[in-house]
């Protein structure tokens, strides 16, 4: 294998500044939304005492889940010793950290009292999976930071595998924790299923890789660096496997629920008569986020086509946001079963209404913008990207 | 007049060293004395540590409870705790510490009315999930939110099986002195802890003029609630969750 040379991007072009300005505008809009929401209180949002977590949580959890998945490329290289992925490891670590930062920003700024973040950092209830998540998120920054250092510093390269294993283990625990935020909620019909934890892990594989593929292809295209088919086609195949795995977990989750009479109500709500949630589930999550990307990635007509891979990745991300919308909002909209065997006439029950506001949407998009701006700037200041990923550099044994 | 003059005379005669000595002693005594005063005050206020010898609970008999009773309970709670007049919050955004619930049996069409509030679980899911220990259970079984620790993450509201908690969606004014509420934090029925600690009953219990709602110490064999629960058949809402609620119901 030839020596990989990493180099900063120039970041002086008009395109670069246009990108930064565009992302900056989204971030400003997000901060404005936060001021609006926090100044007035959450009554200006679509959230209520029934839908306590709204659109910001959809984006925040999407980004946090994708963050741990984006680290997979580095893990495959260091933990599973696949050399072809090694040149991508630095970028993989960077995308992971950037996505997590964006997700946490949204999560924190949607708190009722974001000014009390210090309380969350100093008061821990170790029975709470949420408190564990705070520790896991902070630890992820530290471990991936150290991991990047091991990769950047030649003297430390020899430790990168060990740290890589630690980071891989940590990220599996982290996403298990994120899924368990819902899996451990015994009171709600849509949650209370331990399969949520592994399902979130596999969702992270797909969402994180889709995001990574888009960042990789865009940065090589915009900096006019060579990016060979050897790497891209492998990533494409891997992405397809992950998308299929997500569909499998979704099928098992719903089949398992359907078997239990107590969950018949919530299942028919999500799968059949839940209005927007049913549409988002079938058209958004399953068709656009699952079936179409699989067809694009594997059908002979589109296989190997970069634009189609890009389109598939965008669809996987949109499908992932739809999936989290159905899980988070749909799961809350369906009422809890307070009195099994009885019909609720007054006081509680019915499907809770939720209409997201522009402020909530802008806060969520701001999280994505923060992640992207962090990536754009850091590849300019540190050598994250190999100057070439042409086939003869990335994989000398590759045969066209 | 004479005394005053003597005092001035004395002060004039004080050396600098004496002055420093006297001042230091006075300051020291004042500091310690303040401490004593505070401690005395605390004891006088009867704030002995809450222990688990007591477990406060409530028994609601839906056969005796009329719809008017429930309205009275809700009104009494609002009056006592000062919630429900949020100006900007709409529909489900408004606070609801206690609410009137009407259910119909699917097989027999029998209708039951009841008041639903925080059930003050022995194993409260809200306390388990709260990342900052803001949700907490007192030794005597009353589940509360520490408004100074609550960061407004709303995970407790996701976890509560009784839809008992409210999030304050707007800035509030005119709050009750004993019940400070804050925008961006979560709140719920406190079982009128401020009254219970003074030996009184919760406002909703006082509002019902019959024994449809009984309040008392579940552990005390001589209490009315304990004796009634031994005699009549009662249930807990979502008993399958095994949370051992402090609020019990009979007649549903």
């Amino acid at each position: 294998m030839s020596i990989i040379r990493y180099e900063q991007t120039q970041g002086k072009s008009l395109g670069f500044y246009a990108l930064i300005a565009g992302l900056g505008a989204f971030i400003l809009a997000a901060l404005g939304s936060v001021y609006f929401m926090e100044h007035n209180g959450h009554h200006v949002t679509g959230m209520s005492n029934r839908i306590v977590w709204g659109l910001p949580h959809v984006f925040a959890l999407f980004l946090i889940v994708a963050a741990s998945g984006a680290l997979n490329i580095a893990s495959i290289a260091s933990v599973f010793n696949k050399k072809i992925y090694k040149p991508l490891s630095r970028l993989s670590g960077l995308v992971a950290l950037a996505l997590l930062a964006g997700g946490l920003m949204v999560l924190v700024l949607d708190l009722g009292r974001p000014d009390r973040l210090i309380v969350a950092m100093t008061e821990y209830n170790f029975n709470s999976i949420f408190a564990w998540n705070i520790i896991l998120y902070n630890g992820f920054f530290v471990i991936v930071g150290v991991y990047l250092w091991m990769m950047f510093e030649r003297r430390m390269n020899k430790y990168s595998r060990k740290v890589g294993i630690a980071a891989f283990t940590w990220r599996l625990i982290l996403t298990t924790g994120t899924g368990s935020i819902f899996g451990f909620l015994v009171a709600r019909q849509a949650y209370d299923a331990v399969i949520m934890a592994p399902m979130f892990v596999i969702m992270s594989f797909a969402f994180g890789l889709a995001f990574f593929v888009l960042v990789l292809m865009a940065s090589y295209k915009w900096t006019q660096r060579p990016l060979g088919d050897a790497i891209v086609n492998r990533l494409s195949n891997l992405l397809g496997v992950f998308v299929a795995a997500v569909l499998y977990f979704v099928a098992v989750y719903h089949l398992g629920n359907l078997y239990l009479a107590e969950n018949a109500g919530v299942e028919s709500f999500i799968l059949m008569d839940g209005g927007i949630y049913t549409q988002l589930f079938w058209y958004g999550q399953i068709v656009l986020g699952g079936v179409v990307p699989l067809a694009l990635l594997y059908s002979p007509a589109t296989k190997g086509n970069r634009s189609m891979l890009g389109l598939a990745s965008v669809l996987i991300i949109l499908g992932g946001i739809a999936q989290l919308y159905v899980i988070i909002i749909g799961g809350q909209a369906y009422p809890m079963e307070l009195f099994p065997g009885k019909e609720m006439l007054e006081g509680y029950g019915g499907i809770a209404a939720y209409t997201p506001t522009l402020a909530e949407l802008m806060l969520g998009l701001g999280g994505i913008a923060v992640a992207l701006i962090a990536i754009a700037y850091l590849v300019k200041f540190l050598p994250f990207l190999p100057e070439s990923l042409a086939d003869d550099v990335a994989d000398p044994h590759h045969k066209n | 007049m004479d005394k005053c003059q003597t005092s001035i005379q004395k002060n004039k005669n004080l050396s600098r060293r004496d002055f420093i000595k006297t001042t230091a002693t006075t300051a020291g005594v004042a500091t310690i004395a303040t401490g004593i005063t505070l401690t005395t005050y605390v004891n006088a206020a009867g704030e002995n540590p809450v222990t688990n010898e007591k477990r406060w609970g409530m028994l609601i008999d839906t056969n005796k409870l009329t719809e008017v009773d429930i309205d009275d309970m809700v009104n009494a709670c609002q009056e006592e705790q000062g919630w429900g007049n949020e100006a900007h919050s709409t529909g489900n955004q408004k606070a609801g510490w206690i609410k009137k619930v009407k259910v119909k049996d699917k097989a027999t069409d029998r209708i039951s009315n009841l008041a639903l509030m925080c059930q003050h679980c022995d194993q409260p899911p809200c306390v388990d999930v709260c990342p900052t220990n803001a949700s907490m259970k007192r030794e005597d079984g009353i589940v509360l939110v520490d408004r100074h620790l609550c960061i407004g993450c709303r995970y407790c509201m996701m976890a509560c099986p009784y839809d008992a908690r409210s999030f304050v969606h707007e800035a509030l004014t005119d709050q009750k002195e004993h019940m400070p509420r804050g925008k961006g934090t979560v709140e719920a029925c406190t079982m009128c802890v401020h009254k219970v600690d003074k030996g009184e009953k919760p406002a909703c219990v006082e509002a019902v003029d019959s024994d449809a709602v009984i309040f008392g110490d579940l552990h005390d064999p001589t209490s009315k609630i304990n004796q009634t629960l031994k005699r009549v058949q009662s249930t807990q809402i979502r008993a399958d969750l095994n949370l051992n609620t402090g609020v019990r119901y009979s007649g549903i």
Side-chain angles (χ1 to χ4, degrees), chain A residues 35-321:
Chain A
Y35 177 76
F36 173 65
M37 280 158 49
E38 297 299 335
H39 177 73
N40 290 295
H42 274 60
H43 79 87
V44 296
T45 71
M47 288 177 257
S48 65
N49 291 325
R50 283 285 308 274
I51 307 287
V52 300
W53 288 353
L55 195 56
H57 269 78
V58 172
F59 279 94
L61 284 160
F62 173 81
L63 287 166
I64 290 168
V65 167
S68 54
L71 191 67
N72 269 1
I73 298 303
S75 301
I76 296 170
S78 61
V79 180
F80 300 105
N81 223 6
K82 298 279 182 211
K83 288 213 165 48
I84 192 171
Y85 292 105
K86 200 151 184 243
L88 303 175
S89 297
R90 293 182 181 185
L91 182 65
S92 163
L94 172 64
V95 174
L97 289 185
L99 288 172
L100 186 63
L104 289 182
M105 182 198 83
V106 178
L107 198 65
V108 166
L109 292 179
D110 183 49
L111 290 176
R113 295 293 303 261
D115 54 312
R116 288 185 180 165
L117 185 61
I118 188 71
V119 176
M121 296 296 172
T122 50
E123 282 277 341
Y124 284 104
N125 168 19
F126 291 104
N127 285 332
S128 165
I129 188 69
F130 215 74
W132 279 106
N133 271 279
I134 297 169
I135 295 169
L136 289 166
Y137 299 152
N138 290 332
F140 189 80
F141 277 114
V142 175
I143 290 190
V144 178
V146 172
Y147 188 25
L148 283 173
W149 176 38
M150 301 293 130
M151 290 193 276
F152 271 90
E153 179 70 53
R154 191 165 293 173
R155 289 176 299 135
M156 296 295 185
N157 280 176
K158 54 180 183 270
Y159 301 114
S160 71
R161 178 149 199 266
K162 287 201 174 87
V163 180
I165 292 172
F168 181 63
T169 313
W170 193 271
R171 66 127 314 211
L172 286 181
I173 299 172
L174 184 147
T175 327
T176 303
T178 312
S180 300
I181 287 178
F182 299 95
F184 288 181
L185 286 178
V186 70
R188 290 181 189 267
Q189 252 55 44
Y191 310 140
D192 184 26
V194 282
I195 198 178
M196 305 285 292
M199 187 168 83
F200 268 61
V201 172
I202 207 71
M203 281 154 63
S204 83
F205 285 14
F207 307 164
L209 185 56
F211 214 96
F212 180 83
V213 164
L214 287 174
V215 168
L216 180 74
M217 292 203 304
S219 49
Y220 273 74
K221 195 175 167 115
W222 293 341
T223 57
Q224 284 141 15
R225 297 182 186 201
L227 175 64
D229 283 339
I231 277 189
V232 175
N233 289 348
R234 270 181 185 242
L235 291 177
S236 168
N237 277 333
L238 197 58
L239 189 57
V241 172
F242 291 162
V243 171
V246 172
L247 288 176
Y248 166 76
F249 269 86
V250 171
V252 172
Y253 163 79
H254 285 290
L255 286 171
N257 262 356
L258 280 167
Y259 198 76
L260 307 175
E262 61 168 330
N263 291 328
V266 69
E267 280 303 320
S268 75
F269 173 67
I270 298 290
L271 301 179
M272 283 156 66
D273 49 24
I276 179 73
Y277 305 106
T278 304
Q279 288 175 13
L280 279 174
F281 176 80
W282 288 111
Y283 302 133
Q285 179 185 337
I286 301 298
V287 176
L288 279 183
V291 177
V292 174
L294 277 180
L296 290 173
L297 294 172
Y298 287 128
S299 99
T302 48
K303 194 174 174 172
N305 181 326
R306 299 250 171 122
S307 305
M308 291 299 133
L309 172 60
L311 177 62
S313 301
V314 169
L315 290 176
I316 291 165
I317 289 172
L318 293 176
I321 291 173

Side-chain angles (χ1 to χ4, degrees), chain B:
Chain B
M1 191 71 175
D2 277 358
K3 266 184 190 171
C4 200
Q5 268 176 346
T6 329
S7 163
I8 293 166
Q9 204 84 33
K10 265 188 187 169
N11 276 345
K12 272 183 183 169
N13 295 336
L14 276 178
S15 69
R16 179 176 293 180
R17 181 178 293 176
D18 283 343
F19 174 75
I20 293 171
K21 241 194 226 169
T22 319
T23 318
T25 318
T26 317
V29 169
T31 314
I32 295 166
T34 320
I36 292 167
T37 322
L38 276 177
T39 321
T40 323
Y41 171 75
V42 166
N43 284 339
E47 288 191 21
N48 298 317
V50 173
T51 68
N52 60 7
E53 283 166 21
K54 280 191 167 65
R55 170 129 197 251
W56 295 117
M58 222 183 263
L59 173 62
I60 299 174
D61 185 342
T62 58
N63 286 328
K64 292 179 187 160
L65 194 72
T66 64
E67 287 196 55
V68 177
D69 285 339
I70 301 173
D71 292 337
D72 289 345
M73 290 173 83
V74 175
N75 291 336
C77 181
Q78 287 187 328
E79 180 106 349
E80 181 68 32
Q81 310 281 32
W83 58 270
N85 48 5
E86 298 79 23
H88 302 290
S89 302
T90 55
N92 283 332
Q93 290 179 334
K94 282 188 187 294
W97 294 22
I98 177 170
K99 49 185 168 256
K100 181 172 155 188
V101 165
K102 193 188 279 266
V103 292
K104 184 169 86 173
D105 190 282
K106 281 178 187 165
T108 63
D109 284 354
R110 177 172 182 263
I111 287 179
S112 314
N113 292 297
L114 54 105
L116 183 70
M117 70 296 265
C118 171
Q119 303 288 296
H120 298 279
C121 311
D122 185 35
Q123 307 277 340
C126 56
V127 174
D128 286 343
V129 302
C130 176
T132 62
N133 292 314
S135 284
M136 46 128 176
K137 191 188 73 171
R138 294 202 336 173
E139 287 294 305
D140 58 5
I142 297 181
V143 175
L144 298 170
V145 181
D146 183 332
R147 311 292 165 80
H148 297 287
L149 289 180
C150 178
I151 57 172
C153 76
R154 283 110 69 201
Y155 195 26
C156 57
M157 300 174 73
M158 291 289 275
C160 174
Y162 305 106
D163 190 46
R165 295 197 153 194
S166 308
F167 180 68
V168 181
H169 285 78
E170 62 182 274
L172 301 170
T173 49
D174 293 338
Q175 303 176 36
K176 302 281 178 186
E177 206 176 309
H178 59 265
M179 189 45 59
R181 308 167 61 212
K183 179 181 80 176
T185 59
V186 173
E187 54 186 23
C189 156
T190 64
M191 216 177 235
C192 283
V193 67
H194 61 288
K195 286 164 70 80
V196 172
D197 280 349
K198 285 189 284 189
E200 299 169 25
K201 288 179 186 172
C204 62
V205 181
E206 284 175 342
V208 178
D209 200 17
S210 69
D211 57 357
V213 184
I214 305 171
F215 170 80
D217 178 5
L218 293 168
H219 288 170
D220 177 7
T222 63
S223 72
K224 190 175 176 188
I225 189 168
N226 180 297
Q227 290 177 349
T228 315
L229 278 169
K230 275 181 191 152
R231 208 178 60 242
V232 304
Q233 198 186 14
S234 68
T235 184
Q236 305 172 34
I237 301 177
R238 287 303 306 267
D240 59 313
L241 297 176
N242 217 6
L243 304 175
N244 187 9
T245 57
V247 180
R248 309 288 174 92
Y249 295 82
S250 60
I252 45 171

